[in-house]
Amino acid sequence: MTGGLSVIIPAYNESQKIASTLDEVARYLDGKKIDYEILVLNDGSTDTTVADASAAAARHPRIRVRDRRENFGKGRTVKEGIAMAAHAHCLFMDADNSTTIAEWEKFEPLFGAGARAVVASRHLPDSRILHPQPLARRVLGAGYRAICRMLFGVRASDFNCGFKAYETALAKRIYAQTEMSDWTFDVEVFCLLKKEGVAVAEVPVSWTHEDKASSLAPFRTAWNSLKSLAKLKRRFGRP
């Protein structure tokens, strides 16, 4: 794989982990001796996320921090990061480091062999869950995956794992078409890739649930996601 890597990290109230995540990503990519950039996009955090990310940028000159004061959602934030990406391949990952940058070792050879889109999965036989989500979230997640497969005919084992990589030119074209700003942006991207006939490779990864304070109520979030999926269904029609 040639052409360097843009790592996109959307962040909303991630002061507990953002500094250690950025240090780990920068050290790993320095060791790979490839051209890279790390793009941190603050999505209206109310804690010290921006200050902590900016301190990491002072330690690692290839980190860039974009501070947006208003919260628009992960979908829009990732879309903005991909639009900024300057290297041949781009990866977005979660600021809490639930899937670590070390998993890139599994992605790199697939791109070298010609893959255009490679995504992490927590639900393949060789995947490892180091610390699981609470039971309610696991049940809701299983239901969400089943509904997405039924509505859109997308056979992915995991829609929402926050570790996905693409040829940047492809990602820019696909994400420019996205409209969803909430969690359903991931399945929207799968639908757009399917529409273009792009094969998506899935990789089993190690993943851990990071316990942190959240204002999201699981069942209210699930209801809002269902409404968003209904919008996508109207857009993409039958599988």
Side-chain angles (χ1 to χ4, degrees), residues 47-56:
D47 62 3
T48 61
T49 292
V50 173
D52 295 341
S54 297

Side-chain angles (χ1 to χ4, degrees), residues 83-105:
M84 294 168 59
H87 294 296
H89 292 85
C90 61
L91 161 74
F92 77 81
M93 61 178 288
D94 289 332
D96 64 7
N97 216 22
S98 52
T99 302
T100 73
I101 190 63
E103 298 291 346
W104 178 250
E105 294 294 325

Side-chain angles (χ1 to χ4, degrees), residues 88-170:
H89 292 85
C90 61
L91 161 74
F92 77 81
M93 61 178 288
D94 289 332
D96 64 7
N97 216 22
S98 52
T99 302
T100 73
I101 190 63
E103 298 291 346
W104 178 250
E105 294 294 325
K106 302 172 185 175
F107 282 53
E108 197 169 20
L110 293 174
F111 283 114
R116 305 181 68 197
V118 184
V119 303
S121 175
R122 296 163 290 186
H123 305 297
L124 293 173
D126 291 331
S127 302
R128 295 178 62 217
I129 305 297
L130 305 178
H131 175 47
Q133 293 176 313
L135 178 60
R137 292 188 66 175
R138 297 202 303 273
V139 171
L140 289 171
Y144 178 83
R145 293 191 300 277
I147 290 169
C148 289
R149 294 187 192 108
M150 178 183 67
L151 289 178
F152 306 110
V154 177
R155 311 286 11 133
S157 67
D158 193 346
F159 294 102
N160 291 115
C161 188
F163 199 93
K164 295 182 173 72
Y166 310 92
E167 286 183 348
T168 298
L170 171 66

